[in-house]
Amino acid sequence: MRIGILGSGLMGGKLGTIFARAGHDVVFSYSHSKAKLERLARDAGAPARSGTPAEAARDADALLLAVHWSRVDDVLKKAGDVSGKVIVSCSLPMNAEDTDLVIAHTSSGAEELAKKIPKAQVVSAFSTVPSEVLFSVFESAGGSARPSLVYCGKAKSAKKVAAQLISDAGFEPVDAGPLRVARYMEPLALLVAQLAYEGERGPALAYRFEWLDERG
Ligand SMILES: NC(=O)c1ccc[n+]([C@@H]2O[C@H](COP(=O)([O-])OP(=O)(O)OC[C@H]3O[C@@H](n4cnc5c(N)ncnc54)[C@H](OP(=O)(O)O)[C@@H]3O)[C@@H](O)[C@H]2O)c1
């Protein structure tokens, strides 16, 4: 697939690299540094390049949205017309301090995103995994026990694309249902972050909840 990365930071940089290494044609976009985008494309391997958000969006089969909530409008404006595109979003609706969700309970970032771009097909995925574990999951994907990763969305075809990308990244895709389920997934992502960064066992615990049992 041709995949545009909108936001090439911790999540976008790593997932874009993984998608390229899995054989997809990736365009990294949206960073303060053009040199960083070029370096990401170079390090990712042959089927990757850098570009503007509009270039990343133009021929994309799927776009990964991986920016802070405060940058969503800006990157979408720069991407241009995303009608008909699959938008896989890992962006959580966090406040400026990254301490709380600014949308929760009765809606979600993913649902509000879908309202902003009604002609696109939004799928929520990858928000429940810390970026630190992405490469190790990808590299051990041949092993027997793949960690599960939940996703949700409306359109069947878009969910199929997201499931493929989740699988290519080394996870077992778990369809959690329609996009409204994102209102439960996004608080789960905060629990994951709490366990990963404040808990004792580090980021890997975030997708290996069964390890909690080992404490007895
Ligand atoms: N990090 C995680 O483990 C994690 C896990 C789950 C979900 N998420 C969610 O995923 C989303 C992305 O998180 P992240 O940690 O990847 O964020 P990040 O590292 O800050 O990446 C954001 C990207 O947007 C770019 N950017 C920000 N402002 C810009 C501007 N004014 N002009 C151009 N580019 C700009 C940044 O540029 P630079 O390259 O110059 O920094 C960076 O490439 C967030 O919504 C977060 O809540 C993150």
Side-chain angles (χ1 to χ4, degrees):
M1 284 186 266
R2 292 162 300 189
I3 301 171
I5 305 294
L6 301 177
S8 298
L10 291 172
M11 292 299 279
K14 287 179 182 147
L15 283 170
T17 301
I18 286 168
F19 296 153
R21 290 184 184 161
H24 297 290
D25 184 350
V26 170
V27 180
F28 289 97
S29 80
Y30 205 66
S31 164
H32 295 95
S33 159
K34 200 168 172 251
K36 176 184 170 181
L37 295 176
E38 285 165 1
R39 179 179 51 75
L40 278 169
R42 214 173 34 246
D43 292 352
R49 60 190 191 282
S50 62
T52 63
E55 286 164 348
R58 193 171 303 137
D59 299 317
D61 299 305
L63 287 163
L64 176 77
L65 181 67
V67 295
H68 190 271
W69 191 245
S70 60
R71 305 310 306 172
V72 167
D73 289 337
D74 185 56
V75 78
L76 286 177
K77 191 170 161 212
K78 288 182 171 139
D81 185 9
V82 291
S83 301
K85 303 274 182 202
V86 176
I87 313 280
V88 178
S89 175
C90 69
S91 293
L92 293 164
M94 301 300 292
N95 62 12
E97 296 77 34
D98 269 333
T99 51
D100 275 308
L101 294 168
V102 291
I103 301 165
H105 312 305
T106 54
S107 187
S108 61
E111 289 164 274
E112 295 307 310
L113 174 67
K115 286 181 200 159
K116 285 178 195 286
I117 42 173
K119 291 184 178 162
Q121 300 172 358
V122 174
V123 180
S124 175
F126 294 110
S127 67
T128 55
V129 63
S131 69
E132 282 85 348
V133 307
L134 290 170
F135 281 132
S136 58
V137 170
F138 177 64
E139 278 151 18
S140 54
S144 54
R146 285 174 161 234
S148 305
L149 197 117
V150 286
Y151 67 104
C152 66
K154 188 178 168 196
K156 257 190 185 171
S157 54
K159 288 174 85 170
K160 202 171 160 196
V161 167
Q164 182 66 55
L165 293 176
I166 291 167
S167 178
D168 289 346
F171 294 87
E172 188 62 42
V174 176
D175 184 352
L179 197 62
R180 65 184 297 280
V181 174
R183 61 185 73 173
Y184 312 122
M185 277 169 53
E186 290 173 1
L188 171 69
L190 262 60
L191 168 66
V192 163
Q194 180 76 20
L195 289 169
Y197 305 116
E198 312 274 331
E200 294 167 11
R201 303 284 296 275
L205 180 61
Y207 63 91
R208 291 293 196 199
F209 286 109
E210 73 273 18
W211 289 3
L212 282 169
D213 289 346
E214 289 172 21
R215 290 188 199 176

